[in-house]
Amino acid sequence: MKENNKKTAVCIMSGGMDSTLAAYMMKNEGYEIVAVHFNYDQRTQRKELECFEKISRDLEVKKSYVLDLDFFAQLGASALTDKNIDVPTSGIEEGVPVTYVPFRNGIFLSMAAAIAEKEGASVICIGVVEEDSSGYPDCRENYIEAMQNAINLGTKEETNITIKMPLVHLKKSEIVKSALELAVPLELTWSCYKNEDKACGVCDSCRLRLSGFENAGVKDPIEYE
């Protein structure tokens, strides 16, 4: 592992509120940030990348990686990557939603592990939320812990990576409050699954975000239709 004056964290950052807060928490703990963003032909790819770039500048990251994963579009099977599947707007339902992208976080973590090993980072940070999320199986704490074990088994002996998931047990309102306390630029973040200009306000992600702001007693700074 490379010797650094400061500890380094590889932060998976979508441009959304959760992963942005997680990265700022790592910065607040004294980590230098290596920011990683994935383009996977998702519906709001352009907007998410724009947000990631603005957030990375504000965060003053040590280095950033933008990786293209176009095979997700070929795979399909998700409303985020297959334009033939509508993004649901009728409200959050039980079970795994059609916006789930098969094994996305597993693939993201695997690529982040390669970057972490190269950069000599001791931490990978991911903004998964288990208790107040959309029901994605790859956001569960026990799954992330299993990935950490697998990553350390599959890397060099001197590589020892911890996957931090500081938001995993938080509710959206707690995420909003924590972001405000750390002066996270929430106006630069994007959550909408459908739109790239004004957020739709009715997809699962918008509903969760808006309820978080409402329960925190503050106004969401982004524009909605």
Side-chain angles (χ1 to χ4, degrees), residues 84-103:
N84 295 314
I85 303 174
D86 291 334
V87 173
T89 58
S90 58
I92 298 164
E93 298 178 355
E94 289 294 317
V96 179
V98 73
T99 51
Y100 165 65
V101 180
F103 205 62

Side-chain angles (χ1 to χ4, degrees), residues 160-176:
N160 185 18
I161 293 169
T162 300
I163 302 179
K164 294 201 174 203
M165 38 184 163
L167 315 185
V168 72
H169 294 305
L170 297 186
K171 295 192 177 300
K172 275 286 192 252
S173 57
E174 294 171 322
I175 288 168
V176 172

Side-chain angles (χ1 to χ4, degrees), residues 8-20:
T8 300
V10 172
C11 294
I12 299 171
M13 297 167 57
S14 67
M17 184 166 66
D18 300 345
S19 62
T20 299

Side-chain angles (χ1 to χ4, degrees), residues 118-135:
K118 177 218 170 184
E119 295 290 344
S122 59
V123 164
I124 295 170
C125 182
I126 185 167
V128 293
V129 181
E130 185 176 280
E131 292 184 338
D132 192 23
S133 69
S134 297

Side-chain angles (χ1 to χ4, degrees), residues 60 100 110 139 191 203 216:
E60 297 180 334
Y100 165 65
S110 297
C139 288
S191 303
C203 69

Side-chain angles (χ1 to χ4, degrees), residues 7-216:
K7 51 193 182 178
T8 300
V10 172
C11 294
I12 299 171
M13 297 167 57
S14 67
M17 184 166 66
D18 300 345
S19 62
T20 299
L21 170 59
Y24 277 78
M25 290 170 83
M26 293 300 98
K27 182 88 168 184
N28 193 53
E29 288 182 22
Y31 288 91
E32 286 192 318
I33 305 302
V34 173
V36 182
H37 180 79
F38 298 101
N39 294 322
Y40 56 99
D41 281 346
Q42 69 272 39
R43 288 174 185 264
T44 55
Q45 176 171 292
R46 176 189 61 79
K47 181 66 174 181
E48 288 182 29
L49 177 59
E50 176 188 304
C51 291
F52 166 77
E53 290 172 341
K54 289 178 179 177
I55 292 159
S56 294
R57 285 195 291 272
D58 186 79
L59 197 55
E60 297 180 334
V61 302
K62 174 184 176 183
K63 186 183 290 188
S64 67
Y65 290 82
V66 176
L67 304 178
D68 295 321
L69 306 179
D70 57 1
F71 67 85
F72 274 115
Q74 184 179 350
L75 183 65
S78 169
L80 298 193
T81 56
D82 187 339
K83 303 299 191 296
N84 295 314
I85 303 174
D86 291 334
V87 173
T89 58
S90 58
I92 298 164
E93 298 178 355
E94 289 294 317
V96 179
V98 73
T99 51
Y100 165 65
V101 180
F103 205 62
R104 180 183 63 180
N105 283 345
I107 293 164
F108 286 1
L109 285 167
S110 297
M111 300 189 79
I115 293 169
E117 190 163 40
K118 177 218 170 184
E119 295 290 344
S122 59
V123 164
I124 295 170
C125 182
I126 185 167
V128 293
V129 181
E130 185 176 280
E131 292 184 338
D132 192 23
S133 69
S134 297
Y136 296 151
D138 57 352
C139 288
R140 293 178 295 195
E141 183 177 28
N142 58 357
Y143 164 68
I144 303 294
E145 289 171 346
M147 280 297 293
Q148 176 180 294
N149 292 336
I151 285 167
N152 284 312
L153 283 170
T155 48
K156 293 180 293 188
E157 191 173 335
E158 62 268 27
T159 299
N160 185 18
I161 293 169
T162 300
I163 302 179
K164 294 201 174 203
M165 38 184 163
L167 315 185
V168 72
H169 294 305
L170 297 186
K171 295 192 177 300
K172 275 286 192 252
S173 57
E174 294 171 322
I175 288 168
V176 172
K177 289 174 183 175
S178 295
L180 293 172
E181 287 169 7
L182 285 181
V184 174
L186 292 174
E187 71 279 2
L188 300 182
T189 65
W190 195 252
S191 303
C192 185
Y193 286 154
K194 287 185 65 182
N195 299 345
E196 293 186 305
D197 297 317
K198 290 185 179 180
C200 74
V202 290
C203 69
D204 287 359
S205 187
C206 279
R207 287 176 187 272
L208 284 166
R209 178 178 175 129
L210 283 167
S211 69
F213 275 92
E214 183 180 352
N215 291 332

